């Protein structure tokens, strides 16, 4: 299993500001995933982040709103830009179990504890 | 697109009784299915998965799930519920993408175990 640390664990933000969430993994992984869990809702994939390339965004999510960095194989950041109350959610970082993921693994994910954002 | 459905928003069960949390799937090809649990103010924890092989899959914390191809179901079960099992449970299915795989989650089912 992988140990995933996220910072901040929670924050209260003002409308119009931006916040960057950090995700640190204790092992090298090829792909990292960012999910959003809105209040009382399920998880929705925001984007997939590969080291050394641009993140791949899911339908309904754009880079200007959710820029992602992936500077190395153990770290990623997600920024929530120009926040509004609708962005109040839990943001979760996740990685695929095992190293050397090449797109053919079975795909169970390990998750960080999440970052709970409240936008006022 | 692959999808899973969890028909029950909430399941209530008495401690010591068996529990079942339902999940049905819609996939093309062979399904890769997963169950996760989320405790309050925590991230998701992996419980178990079905890839191939035995239809009864055993996982963490005494949970198991039964894969039923004819009914396209993957229900989560436990013979004897504990109060500490109270949490939010998600069923998920793997979806192949051009750049790799991703998990698609169901809406979630709240499990309440009463003593």
């Amino acid at each position: 299993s992988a140990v995933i640390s996220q910072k901040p664990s929670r924050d209260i933000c003002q409308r119009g500001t931006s916040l960057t969430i950090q995700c640190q993994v204790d092992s090298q992984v090829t792909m990292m995933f960012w999910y959003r869990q809105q209040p009382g809702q399920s998880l929705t994939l925001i984007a997939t982040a590969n080291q050394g390339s641009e993140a791949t965004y899911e339908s309904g999510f754009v880079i200007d709103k959710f820029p992602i960095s992936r500077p190395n194989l153990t770290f990623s950041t997600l920024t929530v830009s120009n926040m509004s109350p609708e962005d109040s959610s839990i943001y979760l970082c996740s990685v695929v179990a095992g190293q050397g993921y090449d797109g053919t693994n079975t795909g169970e994910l390990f998750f960080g504890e999440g970052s709970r954002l409240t936008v006022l | 697109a692959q999808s899973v459905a969890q028909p029950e928003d909430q399941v209530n069960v008495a401690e010591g009784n068996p529990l079942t949390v339902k999940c049905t799937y819609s996939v093309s090809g062979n399904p890769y299915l997963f169950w996760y649990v989320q405790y309050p103010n925590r991230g998701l924890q992996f419980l178990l998965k079905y890839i191939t092989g035995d239809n009864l899959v055993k996982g963490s914390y005494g949970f198991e799930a039964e894969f039923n191809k004819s009914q396209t179901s993957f229900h989560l079960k436990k013979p004897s519920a504990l109060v500490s099992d109270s949490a939010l449970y998600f069923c998920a299915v793997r979806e192949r993408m051009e750049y790799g795989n991703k998990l698609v989650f169901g809406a979630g089912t709240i499990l309440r175990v009463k003593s």
Side-chain angles (χ1 to χ4, degrees):
Chain A
S1 64
V3 177
I4 304 169
S5 302
Q6 280 188 240
K7 292 181 180 179
S9 58
R10 59 178 62 230
D11 207 340
I12 299 174
C13 308
Q14 296 299 316
R15 182 195 300 258
T17 63
S18 299
L19 183 77
T20 295
I21 302 167
Q22 299 179 3
C23 178
Q24 179 75 52
V25 187
D26 68 341
S27 58
Q28 294 184 339
V29 293
T30 305
M31 301 178 76
M32 297 176 75
F33 302 85
W34 286 98
Y35 280 84
R36 181 176 74 181
Q37 185 179 20
Q38 294 178 299
Q41 302 292 318
S42 184
L43 282 78
T44 302
L45 182 64
I46 297 172
T48 303
N50 281 335
Q51 193 272 332
S53 63
E54 292 287 329
T56 302
Y57 288 82
E58 296 296 301
S59 176
F61 297 96
V62 295
I63 187 171
D64 290 345
K65 177 67 176 179
F66 298 101
I68 289 172
S69 77
R70 185 78 204 276
N72 58 52
L73 290 173
T74 64
F75 187 79
S76 178
T77 67
L78 169 76
T79 299
V80 186
S81 303
N82 188 24
M83 287 185 285
S84 66
E86 292 71 34
D87 294 319
S88 297
S89 297
I90 302 173
Y91 293 86
L92 296 131
C93 171
S94 65
V95 303
V96 179
Q99 298 188 17
Y101 176 83
D102 62 1
T104 61
N105 286 358
T106 56
E108 70 256 37
L109 300 177
F110 291 106
F111 285 85
E113 294 286 304
S115 299
R116 183 183 295 270
L117 302 188
T118 301
V119 185
L120 303 178
Chain B
Q2 322 289 47
S3 66
V4 289
Q6 295 180 243
E8 301 158 317
D9 292 336
Q10 183 168 316
V11 171
N12 298 311
V13 64
E15 186 176 31
N17 284 0
L19 69 88
T20 298
V21 183
K22 296 180 180 178
C23 173
T24 59
Y25 64 87
S26 175
V27 304
S28 56
N30 295 320
Y32 286 15
L33 298 161
F34 306 83
W35 275 102
Y36 285 82
V37 59
Q38 186 177 34
Y39 297 101
N41 299 312
R42 302 292 301 276
L44 269 72
Q45 297 181 30
F46 170 73
L47 282 177
L48 51 81
K49 66 181 178 184
Y50 172 82
I51 305 301
T52 186
D54 290 340
N55 290 340
L56 187 63
V57 178
K58 295 187 182 297
S60 306
Y61 312 122
F63 283 95
E64 57 189 28
E66 185 172 9
F67 173 72
N68 187 316
K69 188 172 183 178
S70 62
Q71 297 184 7
T72 62
S73 66
F74 188 56
H75 300 333
L76 181 70
K77 299 181 179 182
K78 188 173 183 180
S80 178
L82 301 173
V83 173
S84 57
D85 292 329
S86 299
L88 179 58
Y89 290 80
F90 290 101
C91 181
V93 63
R94 188 191 78 170
E95 180 169 349
R96 284 191 174 275
M97 308 298 292
E98 181 179 333
Y99 52 87
N101 298 329
K102 71 174 184 179
L103 289 189
V104 177
F105 288 84
T109 299
I110 297 171
L111 173 65
R112 297 196 191 279
V113 181
K114 295 185 177 180
S115 59

